[in-house]
Amino acid sequence: MSTQELFPDFEEGTRMTGLGQTWIVGNLLGMGRCAKVYHITTVDGSVDAAAKVFRKEDKYKLVFIKEIRNLDGVAGHSQIVSVYGTFTHKGHPCLIYELLDFSLKELQYRFDQLEVLLGSNNNNNQTDLAHSKSTNKKAESSSAANQESSKGLSLFLIQSLYRDLLKCLQHIHQCGWVHADLKPANVMWSAQEGVWKVVDFGHSFEENNQDLSQIQSIGYQSPEARSWNSFICQREFSSRPLVQSVSLQQECTSAVDVWSLGCIVAGAFLGRKLYGPDDVKSGGCKQCRQDGVEEKCECEPLIDTVIKTREQDKSPKFRKVLADLRDLLKQVLQCNPRNRLTSAQCLKHRFFTHKLKPGEGDVLLPTRVLRLHHVPDDVDSYDAAEFEEVFNEIKEECEMYGPLSSIEVPKAGPGKGKAYIEFQVARDCQESHAAVNGNSFSGHTILATFFPVEEFELKNFF
């Protein structure tokens, strides 16, 4: 059997049967050593999903079984990808899960072209992403100290990203598991729910029961993970017996996830990786490897150097926010895992007490809620009939793109002069955004932006 037959390679339009449905294979979303991920849709178009299609070899079937087991161990949280089920297609094990919108890695690669990313044309997104990956390959592999800075995410987005992922980690760790491969490619945005979700549990393990395999990815590997991976590599390729047995090795704990998340958040702020391939030392920095040394971990002055005021953070109100972000990152990026905060402790950090809102010009990620600016701001002076007319006009315009759940037109407060439309389906909201933005509505040119789901549900309009 050829390698081509073993590795899944399905053309668009291929049909697969499973979970009581016939699925049509769409575009390729991503691929790795073990599997390819495809966008799939039911024949009637009622359900979109992602299919992770594994290779046929027995060892990859074991990888498939392991990932299913790992997902079963942590299932049931809103920040973990939802699994629909599994089936086999032409000998390839298939894991079917919810279709998410884009990864943090994609967002970071194309931050300067967000209007492309936030659009609804997935095929163009894949083409643009491939080009971005090729032009950023050199920068990704270089040391953080030598990389050219680029514009990172706003503090509003960074805070929501960090909070979402910490909630996810708190659940995973409370279940007794370690994700063990947190990185931007495994963090994906759900426009439907308005949250970041974690995917790819193929490297996960139960704490205190670690597999004899390497974990984490370069740039997001904790110092103890580098030591562990080095040991596993020697074990696999050495022709001579190892002097040190695996029982004497320090197994990795949930602290490795906290380290990786710190790297992710710092990278989201910087617009580039915090650490290059050779920046993190196996076992930790010199200070942390020496008993009784009271010097600070090498990460602390680094964080002070790189987490500094950016052009978009010049407002005095951000000084305390940045100081608290620096403090939190210094407490999670400690070489000694025993000195790191836990995910639960991180959520109680004062960085999350700041009530942040996006500023003018800040990016708002796509959700199922649309915010229309320049709606007449004197609606409070209308009589009931006039206001009803405006309300119905907004409703009819938006219903052209899909069914709505609710509409809010505040008559006072920060939301005055805006309309907030909640769609049942995020994709309909994105189509409405593309069609409505910049068009005339009730005698006014409308500016359409997305709006955070959580803020809408709490009626925190701005």
Side-chain angles (χ1 to χ4, degrees):
M1 187 177 291
S2 68
T3 303
Q4 186 67 26
E5 290 174 318
L6 293 170
F7 203 85
D9 188 15
F10 302 143
E11 295 181 357
E12 289 192 35
T14 298
R15 294 194 172 211
M16 307 193 307
T17 301
L19 306 182
Q21 299 275 3
T22 298
W23 303 86
I24 307 297
V25 175
N27 56 305
L28 179 68
L29 299 177
M31 63 181 295
R33 179 175 55 87
C34 303
K36 291 183 178 180
V37 180
Y38 294 91
H39 176 190
I40 61 173
T41 310
T42 52
V43 172
D44 61 4
S46 62
V47 180
D48 288 283
K52 186 172 184 178
V53 185
F54 289 76
R55 298 175 64 162
K56 286 184 178 181
E57 296 101 314
D58 289 341
K59 64 179 180 179
Y60 295 112
K61 291 180 181 178
L62 293 175
V63 172
F64 165 76
I65 293 170
K66 177 185 175 183
E67 183 157 2
I68 295 298
R69 181 204 66 176
N70 296 348
L71 282 163
D72 285 343
V74 299
H77 194 272
S78 59
Q79 268 78 38
I80 293 177
V81 63
S82 297
V83 176
Y84 297 157
T86 63
F87 58 80
T88 300
H89 176 71
K90 295 185 176 180
H92 293 284
C94 301
L95 170 61
I96 313 302
Y97 55 88
E98 66 175 310
L99 181 67
L100 298 171
D101 293 82
F102 51 82
S103 71
L104 179 60
K105 183 177 182 179
E106 292 174 80
L107 183 62
Q108 290 174 315
Y109 271 136
R110 304 213 313 279
F111 190 79
D112 294 332
Q113 301 176 357
L114 281 171
E115 69 280 359
V116 177
L117 177 63
L118 304 186
S120 57
N121 190 329
N122 291 330
N123 290 328
N124 287 344
N125 285 347
Q126 292 298 320
T127 302
D128 294 340
L129 177 61
H131 174 72
S132 298
K133 285 181 178 178
S134 65
T135 56
N136 283 277
K137 186 174 182 180
K138 183 176 181 180
E140 182 179 357
S141 62
S142 62
S143 169
N146 296 323
Q147 289 184 36
E148 182 179 348
S149 295
S150 60
K151 185 178 180 181
L153 302 185
S154 70
L155 286 170
F156 170 79
L157 289 180
I158 287 170
Q159 188 188 60
S160 60
L161 167 71
Y162 210 164
R163 182 185 286 113
D164 280 353
L165 298 183
L166 282 171
K167 288 179 180 178
C168 178
L169 286 189
Q170 184 181 32
H171 169 77
I172 292 172
H173 298 164
Q174 285 178 343
C175 291
W177 287 78
V178 180
H179 183 276
D181 195 23
L182 278 180
K183 57 184 177 181
N186 289 340
V187 175
M188 300 201 69
W189 177 250
S190 168
Q192 183 66 25
E193 298 177 44
V195 297
W196 291 99
K197 297 197 175 194
V198 173
V199 302
D200 197 346
F201 286 76
H203 290 282
S204 301
F205 59 89
E206 290 183 273
E207 200 158 17
N208 302 319
N209 189 24
Q210 188 172 358
D211 300 326
L212 293 177
S213 58
Q214 297 190 47
I215 63 169
Q216 300 193 304
S217 298
I218 295 295
Y220 306 94
Q221 283 180 3
S222 64
E224 67 271 27
R226 291 193 70 112
S227 296
W228 173 266
N229 292 343
S230 177
F231 174 79
I232 296 300
C233 186
Q234 292 178 52
R235 183 178 183 273
E236 291 177 349
F237 297 105
S238 177
S239 59
R240 294 180 296 177
L242 296 178
V243 175
Q244 191 175 24
S245 69
V246 69
S247 62
L248 297 179
Q249 286 290 319
Q250 179 186 11
E251 292 190 4
C252 296
T253 67
S254 57
V256 301
D257 288 340
V258 175
W259 172 280
S260 295
L261 182 50
C263 294
I264 289 172
V265 171
F269 179 89
L270 295 170
R272 55 175 169 77
K273 279 188 175 183
L274 175 65
Y275 290 122
D278 301 318
D279 292 336
V280 177
K281 305 303 179 185
S282 178
C285 64
K286 181 179 179 180
Q287 293 92 316
C288 291
R289 291 199 304 269
Q290 295 179 10
D291 293 332
V293 175
E294 297 183 359
E295 293 183 48
K296 291 181 179 180
C297 173
E298 285 182 1
C299 80
E300 296 196 29
L302 171 65
I303 295 301
D304 283 330
T305 300
V306 299
I307 306 299
K308 55 188 178 181
T309 303
R310 305 170 299 181
E311 190 63 35
Q312 64 262 44
D313 303 325
K314 288 293 180 70
S315 172
K317 68 180 180 180
F318 289 130
R319 290 176 185 169
K320 182 59 175 172
V321 180
L322 284 169
D324 288 341
L325 177 60
R326 278 193 294 269
D327 180 75
L328 177 55
L329 289 175
K330 284 191 286 188
Q331 292 195 62
V332 298
L333 292 173
Q334 292 284 324
C335 288
N336 187 335
R338 293 187 295 274
N339 293 340
R340 289 176 214 149
L341 297 181
T342 66
S343 52
Q345 289 171 333
C346 287
L347 282 168
K348 297 177 181 178
H349 191 275
R350 57 183 178 270
F351 173 66
F352 297 106
T353 64
H354 298 283
K355 304 298 182 183
L356 299 181
K357 292 181 180 180
E360 291 297 325
D362 281 352
V363 172
L364 284 171
L365 302 181
T367 67
R368 65 174 188 273
V369 181
L370 195 65
R371 176 177 61 176
L372 302 182
H373 299 249
H374 305 154
V375 175
D377 58 9
D378 57 349
V379 292
D380 53 348
S381 67
Y382 291 178
D383 61 31
E386 289 174 317
F387 180 78
E388 188 71 19
E389 183 179 349
V390 173
F391 184 88
N392 287 334
E393 190 174 349
I394 293 172
K395 182 178 179 182
E396 290 173 6
E397 180 75 14
C398 292
E399 281 180 333
M400 293 174 59
Y401 304 99
L404 310 181
S405 294
S406 62
I407 299 178
E408 296 282 350
V409 186
K411 296 183 180 181
K416 183 179 177 180
K418 305 179 183 72
Y420 301 82
I421 299 94
E422 181 186 20
F423 287 77
Q424 292 182 17
V425 179
R427 181 168 296 180
D428 295 338
C429 185
Q430 293 180 56
E431 291 179 358
S432 176
H433 173 271
V436 171
N437 190 35
N439 289 342
S440 179
F441 179 75
S442 294
H444 297 260
T445 300
I446 291 297
L447 170 65
T449 60
F450 299 107
F451 194 74
V453 172
E454 182 179 13
E455 301 294 334
F456 178 82
E457 291 175 342
L458 295 173
K459 299 190 183 301
N460 290 334
F461 301 121
F462 51 82

